Amino acid sequence: MDDLVTAALTAAKERGRDVADVPLTAIASAAGISRSTLLRRLGGSRAPLDEAVRRTGVDPGGRPPVRERAIEAAGRLVAERGLSGVTLDAVADRAECSLPSLHTVFEGRDGLLSAVFLQYGPLPDLEALAADPPERLEDTVRALHRTFAAALQCDPKVVPAMFADLFGRSDGPAARMMAVYLPRMFDGLTRLLQPHIEAGRLRPLPIPVLSQLMLGPLLNHLLFRPSLEPVLGSELPSLEETLELFTEAYLRAVALPEAESGEDDTP
């Protein structure tokens, strides 16, 4: 936690703002980690960070703004009740804000849930990865697996709840969010995978197929993993080992053999 406190104080000083007013993305950048990793280390809430800053003798500042409190409250409620159980009244009560303020900030329930998905979902980290991609195909696949795994493992468990809603209702809020954000996700995946197709490292399959071959087994495993762990115990590989196994399996399935042998020779 000490490194996160230092990063928060550094980011606040650079911006001339209280720690409580510095976005988590800026603190994560100062700490040299991703936003999803920061959230995971903090348990899904910035409250432990503010308390750690306070223990150093520095006042982290006033309460976070309504938008931040509402997103965190809604994320907790989504994990506890599922998307169908989240109402603006419940969020306003949990976030200690007024109902009109939620309508003003988010323009309704769908706007709030979209903000929750962006906060706890994989899209921001996916787009950051696409903006600065690894050179090697193997590293790209591994990074994509870790990005999506981090989103599904993040506390609160927003993404699994969204998949539950998506599978249960074709016209629910998760389906509406997918319709909005899937184009951006496939754009990021295309920017990461298309160069490897053009370089002859990946089989020239449609990007949606390449993406589903990569992410389908991973998502299936992560959604079932909480049920598998108490049953299989030590027989179940660790998450890191599992990600490596999925990376290797994907490359065996879709990487061109000549490219694989060429990459292995790369120092």
Side-chain angles (χ1 to χ4, degrees), residues 153-207:
Q153 293 288 301
C154 181
D155 184 41
K157 298 292 190 297
V158 168
V159 176
M162 298 184 77
F163 272 106
D165 187 82
L166 182 65
F167 296 149
R169 298 188 295 169
S170 61
D171 60 346
R176 293 194 293 273
M177 277 182 278
M178 285 294 181
V180 173
Y181 292 119
L182 266 180
R184 285 175 59 181
M185 293 183 69
F186 274 115
D187 177 68
L189 289 165
T190 299
R191 285 189 286 155
L192 286 163
L193 298 179
Q194 188 64 40
H196 294 290
I197 295 176
E198 295 173 355
R201 304 185 190 102
L202 268 180
R203 300 188 186 281
L205 300 174
I207 294 295

Side-chain angles (χ1 to χ4, degrees), residues 64 92 114 142 174 205:
S114 292
R142 183 178 292 111
L205 300 174

Side-chain angles (χ1 to χ4, degrees), residues 37 71 91 112 126 172 176 181 186 252:
T37 299
I71 290 174
V91 173
L112 172 59
L126 172 62
R176 293 194 293 273
Y181 292 119
F186 274 115
R252 284 197 299 270

Side-chain angles (χ1 to χ4, degrees), residues 7 42 44 65 90 97 145 155 187 189 266:
L42 294 176
C97 64
H145 277 143
D155 184 41
D187 177 68
L189 289 165
T266 302

Side-chain angles (χ1 to χ4, degrees), residues 129 134-144 247 251 263:
L129 181 63
E135 292 185 8
R136 296 186 350 133
L137 173 59
E138 179 181 348
D139 295 335
T140 298
V141 175
R142 183 178 292 111
L144 279 168
T247 296
L251 292 172
E263 286 193 354

Side-chain angles (χ1 to χ4, degrees), residues 74-153:
R76 296 280 175 195
L77 288 168
V78 166
E80 294 168 10
R81 307 178 183 179
L83 267 67
S84 61
V86 177
T87 65
L88 289 180
D89 285 326
V91 173
D93 182 64
R94 181 75 65 94
E96 299 181 353
C97 64
S98 68
L99 194 59
S101 67
L102 291 182
H103 283 286
T104 298
V105 173
F106 298 103
E107 299 182 352
R109 182 172 178 267
D110 276 5
L112 172 59
L113 292 177
S114 292
V116 171
F117 177 74
L118 283 177
Q119 174 83 357
Y120 296 105
L123 185 56
D125 288 338
L126 172 62
E127 292 183 329
L129 181 63
D132 186 22
E135 292 185 8
R136 296 186 350 133
L137 173 59
E138 179 181 348
D139 295 335
T140 298
V141 175
R142 183 178 292 111
L144 279 168
H145 277 143
R146 288 176 175 169
T147 294
F148 280 85
L152 268 83
Q153 293 288 301

